[in-house]
């Protein structure tokens, strides 16, 4: 018996991996986080599959389901939104499984950050503009460690992707404005890859008003940085004629 933690992707059912989807269809028990997983992912499962919406269950109740499956010697799929390594809340589940002697495996997924960059047709790392991406959030029920306060992270002025923060957009703007220039582009992607996806483009001066007007308070990423409006970047070294590497000799095209 094994538990498979599977990244379900950002919403679009076609953005789940083939491996994850195959596992999903082979497990008699499926647990999924109701609010963020597209229910279409669950369509076509065998009628006998036992499906649990974990958004209604506390950790103890979820662990009870794992225990039951262990006793019945049946595999479990645990679906989480996007990729599991980012705000996946899987670490405490794995600890509980370790205590129960249950084996598990993690199958990655397409994070909402990758999906949003694709929708925007943006590269988050542009030569000489930004070569660093920070994934973070503003403090909420879960406190961010003081050394990672948004104000401190903002001092790097690199590309910034904020999860779980849209309901505090005004606070976000206030903290970022200490370091980023006011005309820094800010893009909010609401429900990336879902049918009701929305993209709101602005800058540090305008974004809070725009988001408030749209009434968005959940399921959105805040993307910040000069990469989002920059046409004035250098070509990357990767394809440069002057640059050779293991797979291409210098000036090979000549
Ligand atoms: N593991 C997920 C993140 C889970 S935390 C991932 O890799 O994407 C939940 C937060 O992720 C939401 O508050 C929102 O900030 C972001 N999020 C998840 N799905 C999203 C989507 N489809 N579009 C935009 N943001 C999304």
């Amino acid at each position: 018996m094994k538990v498979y933690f599977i990244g379900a992707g950002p919403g679009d059912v076609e953005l789940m991996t083939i491996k994850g989807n195959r596992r999903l269809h082979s497990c008699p028990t499926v647990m999924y986080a109701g609010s963020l997983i597209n229910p279409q992912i669950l369509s076509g499962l065998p009628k006998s599959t036992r499906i649990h919406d974990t958004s209604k269950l506390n950790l103890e109740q979820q662990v009870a389901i794992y225990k039951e499956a262990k006793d019945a010697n049946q595999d479990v799929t645990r679906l989480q939104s996007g990729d599991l390594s980012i705000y996946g809340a899987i670490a405490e589940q794995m600890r509980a499984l370790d205590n129960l002697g249950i084996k598990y495996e993690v199958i990655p997924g397409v994070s909402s950050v990758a999906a949003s960059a694709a929708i925007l047709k943006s590269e988050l790392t542009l030569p000489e503009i930004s070569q660093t991406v920070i994934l973070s959030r503003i403090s909420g029920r879960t406190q961010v460690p003081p050394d990672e306060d948004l104000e401190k992270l903002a001092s790097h002025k690199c590309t910034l992707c904020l999860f779980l923060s849209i309901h505090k957009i005004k606070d976000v703007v206030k903290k970022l404005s200490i370091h980023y220039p006011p005309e820094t582009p800010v893009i909010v992607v609401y429900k990336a890859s879902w049918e009701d996806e929305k993209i709101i483009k602005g800058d540090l001066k305008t974004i809070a008003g725009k988001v408030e007007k749209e009434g968005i308070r959940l399921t959105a990423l805040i993307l910040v940085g000069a990469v989002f409006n920059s046409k004035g970047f250098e070509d990357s070294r990767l394809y440069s004629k002057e640059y050779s590497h293991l797979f291409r000799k210098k000036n090979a095209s000549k």
Side-chain angles (χ1 to χ4, degrees):
M1 179 265 170
K2 209 166 174 183
V3 173
Y4 295 92
F5 290 96
I6 300 177
D12 180 349
V13 293
E14 295 196 329
L15 289 179
M16 185 172 175
T17 66
I18 294 169
K19 187 168 185 172
N21 202 37
R22 192 151 38 84
R23 278 281 168 239
L24 167 66
H25 283 260
S26 71
C27 290
T29 297
V30 172
M31 297 162 79
Y32 77 107
S35 55
L36 284 169
I37 305 279
N38 188 339
Q40 279 177 29
I41 284 182
L42 304 174
S43 68
L45 289 179
K47 281 218 166 63
S48 56
T49 309
R50 274 177 298 163
I51 301 176
H52 302 270
D53 178 355
T54 55
S55 61
K56 299 182 174 74
L57 306 174
N58 63 33
L59 182 63
E60 205 177 305
Q61 290 166 322
Q62 296 177 36
V63 170
I65 297 172
Y66 291 133
K67 252 191 220 159
E68 241 174 65
K70 185 191 180 197
D71 293 342
N73 195 27
Q74 291 189 334
D75 291 344
V76 178
T77 287
R78 175 66 202 241
L79 285 177
Q80 307 261 143
S81 73
D83 181 58
L84 304 120
S85 64
I86 304 165
Y87 305 114
I90 56 170
E92 66 255 40
Q93 295 176 55
M94 290 174 180
R95 186 164 54 194
L97 294 179
D98 284 337
N99 291 337
L100 291 169
I102 296 175
K103 288 197 198 107
Y104 49 86
E105 185 179 325
V106 180
I107 300 176
V110 175
S111 174
S112 56
V113 68
S116 297
I119 290 159
L120 297 171
K121 301 185 179 77
S122 280
E123 184 171 343
L124 302 182
T125 51
L126 288 180
E128 291 175 27
I129 306 289
S130 180
Q131 290 288 286
T132 304
V133 182
I134 293 180
L135 308 181
S136 192
R137 61 170 298 173
I138 200 162
S139 276
R141 256 178 310 174
T142 304
Q143 287 294 305
V144 171
D147 281 347
E148 296 170 21
D149 190 90
L150 211 44
E151 206 180 300
K152 289 192 180 159
L153 300 182
S155 69
H156 297 287
K157 293 188 260 183
C158 61
T159 308
L160 186 60
C161 306
L162 298 177
F163 293 74
L164 300 159
S165 304
I166 192 67
H167 59 295
K168 292 191 173 176
I169 185 76
K170 275 190 177 159
D171 294 346
V172 167
V173 165
K174 211 164 151 190
K175 284 173 181 276
L176 298 187
S177 298
I178 296 169
H179 296 286
Y180 287 89
E183 60 281 0
T184 303
V186 184
I187 305 181
V188 167
V189 183
Y190 168 73
K191 292 188 87 175
S193 87
W194 290 66
E195 269 175 22
D196 47 349
E197 160 191 304
K198 271 187 201 158
I199 293 166
I200 301 160
K201 292 187 178 182
D203 59 25
L204 276 175
K205 297 185 297 280
T206 59
I207 198 71
K210 289 184 179 185
V211 165
E212 220 154 71
K213 203 164 149 211
E214 292 283 346
I216 294 172
R217 298 193 49 83
L218 271 175
T219 327
L221 275 186
I222 306 169
L223 307 170
V224 184
V227 292
F228 295 107
N229 71 356
S230 189
K231 302 264 182 257
F233 58 92
E234 292 294 313
D235 286 349
S236 82
R237 306 294 297 151
L238 185 62
Y239 300 120
S240 162
K241 275 197 279 184
E242 306 310 319
Y243 178 67
S244 67
H245 58 63
L246 198 57
F247 301 108
R248 201 185 58 231
K249 292 205 170 71
K250 200 169 174 182
N251 292 328
S253 62
K254 280 187 183 166

